[in-house]
Each structure stands twice: as structure tokens, then as C-alpha cells.
Amino acid sequence: AGELRERIDEAIGAVTPQRVILDFRGVTFMDSSGIGLIMGRWRLMQEQGGHLLVQGVPRSLRKVMKVSGLDKLGVLEEKEEVKQ
């Protein structure tokens, strides 16, 4: 997650986008470092006046994200990805 976080932050810093989309299709495992990655990018985008969207989340990861409170940040795309 650390390397991915650095790459995302560099891209955000270089372009200053209004919206960043993190696509989780194909992701089969996520722990607290993944939750931290999403929360940190959400915070970064908030500071820059932008928005973060997390899409393509498999059902198994959606449960983890909801338990961690990510759904309350308004970053999860509403439609669910098919079960993997």
C-alpha cells in the first residue's frame, strides 16, 4: 500500500484533479493499510477541494469498507460489483 500511496499522491500533486477514481476490480484482499490508503486519499482530495470515488468493489471488500466507515465518507460507488 505504501508504494501505491506514493504513486497516487504524486499523480494528484502533478495534476490537481477535481476527482480521483480508485478502481477495486480484481482486488481480492484488503486490510487496514488499504483502508488507510483510501482514507488518506479522501482527506487529500478534501484539502484540494476535490472528490474521491471508489468503484468496482467486490462484495467481500464492500463489507470491510462499510465496517470501517468508508461508506459514511460518501466515496463508495452505489452499484455493487459482482461476487468474486
Side-chain angles (χ1 to χ4, degrees), residues 31-79:
D31 60 13
S32 60
S33 61
I35 298 296
L37 180 134
I38 294 170
M39 292 180 117
R41 291 345 76 199
W42 174 81
R43 191 174 315 115
L44 178 60
M45 291 304 294
Q46 291 292 301
E47 290 170 359
Q48 295 186 4
H51 303 283
L52 176 74
L53 176 65
V54 179
Q55 69 180 20
V57 179
R59 247 183 224 150
S60 58
L61 296 185
R62 185 171 285 276
K63 290 176 187 175
V64 171
M65 290 181 182
K66 284 186 175 185
V67 167
S68 70
L70 288 178
D71 59 326
K72 293 177 179 47
L73 299 179
V75 299
L76 296 178
E77 184 176 60
E78 289 302 314
K79 67 178 184 178

Side-chain angles (χ1 to χ4, degrees), residues 9-39:
D9 288 354
E10 286 175 9
I12 290 172
V15 181
T16 316
Q18 285 297 307
R19 182 166 62 162
V20 169
I21 299 172
L22 300 179
D23 191 334
F24 273 71
R25 274 183 284 235
V27 177
T28 58
F29 174 80
M30 186 172 68
D31 60 13
S32 60
S33 61
I35 298 296
L37 180 134
I38 294 170
M39 292 180 117

